[in-house]
Amino acid sequence: MKACVAAFALLAASWPNAAHADWRDDIGTFRIGIVAEPGAGNTVPGLALLTDAYTKALGMKVEFVVARDYAALIEAQASGRIEYAVYSATAYATAAQRCGCVEPLVAPVDEDGAIGIRSVLVTRDGKVPDLAAMATHRIAIAPSDSIGGSLLPLAGLKADGVELSEDAPYLVRAASAAAAETMLIDGQADALFGWVEAMADGQPATPDGQSAVPDGQLADPGGTVARLEAAGLSKSELQVVWTSGLLRYGPHAVRSDLDPEAKRRLAVFLTNLKSMTPDVYDLLEAAHSGGFAVASSKDYAMAAAIVQFVSGKNGQQ
């Protein structure tokens, strides 16, 4: 009898480890997908360091898969060929629309705390007091493929219930975002659609804690307003007439059916990576130097709105 009890106790003690081993055994090799840098082919800078870091975090074999573009990356994750992918915001939203089988784990943060961008309608000397007044003024807007200067404002306005046609006579297409700013500076436009850095809710928008819009949503410096000020316009000359929802920086996303323990290990690894192993962080995230923060699907509602807007526009062509 004692032998049976001892055997049962030993078996019970082994269950947690067996459960943890199961998901690793089921996966075999954990595959991480990234998009190739232009001109880099299939090479990944610091591949050995990155692979070693993820291997230690998960306690299993890890392999990086380099995709030629986001379409290929989305297809690979939707079909289950990779468990984890590094996306842009709109690529993640496209993947979520494609299969509903992905979820964000973390997203990068800038050194100043910005977590993404918001579109803004900026006017000078109060010439365009509100959205309704746009129709009687010249509004500069970036090229149609510009995320922050065109797609985000158009999708953001639609999400706010304001339908704005891309061929509206009062919209003046500039050759670039910088050209749109020049139009406002030179008086060729009364307002422009631009972008500003966005902070997490509750953080100050400016160094003195005075928020340009409710809820502390605008960061300073960064974005169109800061660029206009650097070009010589004073802060008092510029007014933000409208601000869009948040377009958060692109996430690291996993398949929703990934074992919860794997998700937990990855989240802990990534959110501590900047402080614990900054050289590995810099290899993984070159554009945003503030570390990773936990992200959720609701953070990408505006990215989804952009994807839907583009899909609707393509469907009309």
Side-chain angles (χ1 to χ4, degrees):
M1 180 66 178
K2 289 182 178 179
C4 290
V5 171
F8 181 79
L10 181 62
L11 179 61
S14 71
W15 282 346
N17 291 331
H20 288 176
D22 284 346
W23 61 267
R24 295 186 181 94
D25 292 340
D26 290 343
I27 294 172
T29 299
F30 189 88
R31 291 182 171 82
I32 299 171
I34 58 173
V35 170
E37 293 291 329
N42 289 328
T43 61
V44 177
L47 178 61
L49 277 176
L50 289 171
T51 302
D52 182 64
Y54 276 95
T55 296
K56 289 176 178 175
L58 289 168
M60 67 180 298
K61 184 179 178 182
V62 170
E63 178 182 299
F64 274 80
V65 177
V66 182
R68 65 182 180 276
D69 54 29
Y70 281 120
L73 185 65
I74 291 166
E75 182 58 33
Q77 193 169 36
S79 64
R81 296 198 304 276
I82 60 173
E83 287 74 37
Y84 178 119
V86 181
Y87 285 121
S88 70
T90 52
Y92 165 74
T94 302
Q97 183 186 72
R98 160 79 168 74
C99 71
C101 61
V102 297
E103 62 184 70
L105 272 185
V106 300
V109 178
D110 283 329
E111 191 170 6
D112 62 3
I115 62 172
I117 65 171
R118 297 178 190 270
S119 176
V120 287
L121 177 62
V122 182
T123 191
R124 184 177 179 185
D125 297 326
K127 290 181 180 177
V128 181
D130 51 38
L131 292 176
M134 287 193 298
T136 57
H137 294 80
R138 288 170 59 85
I139 313 297
I141 188 168
S144 59
D145 60 351
S146 169
I147 295 288
S150 181
L151 293 175
L152 179 55
L154 292 173
L157 285 168
K158 186 172 183 177
D160 286 349
V162 180
E163 293 288 345
L164 182 59
S165 172
E166 287 190 273
D167 58 1
Y170 53 85
L171 290 181
V172 183
R173 286 285 179 188
S176 66
E181 294 163 9
T182 299
M183 291 178 67
L184 184 69
I185 294 168
D186 293 345
Q188 299 174 51
D190 301 315
L192 69 84
F193 283 110
W195 62 273
V196 291
E197 287 183 334
M199 306 293 279
D201 288 346
Q203 295 189 25
T206 60
D208 61 6
Q210 299 301 308
S211 181
V213 295
D215 301 325
Q217 294 169 345
L218 300 187
D220 185 45
T224 302
V225 174
R227 288 161 60 97
L228 290 170
E229 290 176 13
L233 299 186
S234 68
K235 188 181 292 287
S236 61
E237 287 181 89
L238 300 171
Q239 296 83 40
V240 175
V241 178
W242 168 82
T243 307
S244 77
L246 167 69
L247 180 64
R248 190 161 184 180
Y249 298 140
H252 291 221
V254 295
R255 283 187 56 88
S256 301
D257 57 5
L258 182 66
D259 189 275
E261 174 62 13
K263 295 177 187 178
R264 184 194 70 79
R265 283 174 173 261
L266 287 166
V268 170
F269 162 66
L270 291 165
T271 53
N272 287 284
L273 188 59
K274 175 68 176 180
S275 59
M276 299 294 290
T277 321
D279 55 333
V280 175
Y281 177 86
D282 291 341
L283 288 171
L284 193 58
E285 177 52 61
H288 308 288
S289 58
F292 290 114
V294 173
S296 66
S297 57
K298 67 180 181 180
D299 295 329
Y300 295 93
M302 189 52 61
I306 292 174
V307 171
Q308 291 169 1
F309 175 81
V310 172
S311 297
K313 183 173 66 170
N314 291 340
Q316 294 171 2
Q317 293 176 352

